[in-house]
Structure formats: C-alpha cells, structure tokens
C-alpha cells in the first residue's frame, strides 16, 4: 500500500469560495478608512467573524461561512490578516461615542 498524500482524501481548499458581496464589503471598508487590517475569529456554527480595523482607528466587522472563506475574502480584497490581537492593532482602534453608549446600556441592563 502506498503511503503519501495521493491516497488521502482532502477537502479542496484552493477553490474560490469567497462571495463577491463579502469581498466588496471588505474592499469598501478599507477604501473608506485609508486601508485596513483584519483579525479572523472562529464563532462556531455561525462561521467566522472578520474584524476590520481601519488605518484611521474605526473598526467594523463582516461574517463569513468559515475561516477559509474569510481568509480568501480578505486576500481578494487586499486586506492583511493578522494572526492575533496584537497590542499595536488594539491601540489603533478608536471606538466611537455611540459604541461606548451602547456598551454601557448592555452592561447596565444585566
């Protein structure tokens, strides 16, 4: 019996699975904020969350079916994917006053 990857069934990870709407959304965010970096977070059955941090400190997110699709979408959009939440990236984020107010309402409602 031959050993090696020619006898192993694997999922085709090279197929282009990124939806155009997701890619367009990432491109639009990056263009509107002077460029962007992304962190991809696995969120279980929901898929993957792509947190985008603009060069101006504004941040937003998009959702993908899984982490492979998320990485493909970021690559097609020309956005760098960070491996983790590095200190420099977190320091760059500037939450809006509306976000602070919404977070305060959520914690007080508990």
């Amino acid at each position: 019996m031959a050993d090696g990857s020619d006898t192993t069934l694997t999922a085709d990870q090279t197929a282009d699975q990124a939806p155009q709407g997701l890619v367009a959304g990432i491109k639009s965010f990056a263009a509107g904020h002077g460029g962007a970096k992304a962190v991809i977070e696995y969120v279980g059955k929901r898929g993957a969350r792509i947190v985008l941090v603009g060069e101006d400190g504004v941040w937003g997110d998009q959702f993908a079916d899984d982490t492979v699709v998320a990485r493909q979408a970021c690559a097609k959009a020309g956005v760098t994917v960070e491996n983790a939440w590095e200190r420099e990236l977190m320091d760059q984020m500037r939450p809006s006053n509306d976000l602070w107010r919404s977070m305060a309402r959520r914690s007080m409602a508990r």
Side-chain angles (χ1 to χ4, degrees):
M1 177 172 209
D3 61 334
S5 63
D6 61 328
T7 60
T8 305
L9 294 176
T10 58
D12 183 13
Q13 297 294 327
T14 61
D16 184 19
Q17 303 170 4
Q20 288 300 326
L22 178 60
V23 174
I26 296 170
K27 279 184 182 179
S28 174
F29 181 89
H33 299 284
K37 292 182 181 175
V39 176
I40 298 172
E41 301 172 336
Y42 174 72
V43 290
K45 289 183 181 181
R46 175 74 167 97
R49 179 181 184 203
I50 306 167
V51 181
L52 299 163
V53 180
E55 291 297 321
D56 59 358
V58 176
W59 59 281
D61 59 2
Q62 298 276 334
F63 280 88
D65 292 339
D66 58 36
T67 57
V68 173
V69 172
R71 287 189 181 281
Q72 288 175 350
C74 289
K76 286 181 81 173
V79 171
T80 303
V81 176
E82 298 291 327
N83 290 328
W85 284 106
E86 299 291 336
R87 179 184 209 90
E88 294 81 19
L89 186 60
M90 291 188 69
D91 286 345
Q92 184 178 336
M93 295 175 75
R94 300 285 178 249
S96 69
N97 287 335
D98 291 337
L99 180 62
W100 284 117
R101 279 190 290 274
S102 76
M103 288 190 293
R105 281 193 301 269
R106 279 187 245 153
S107 66
M108 296 181 105
R110 291 182 188 174

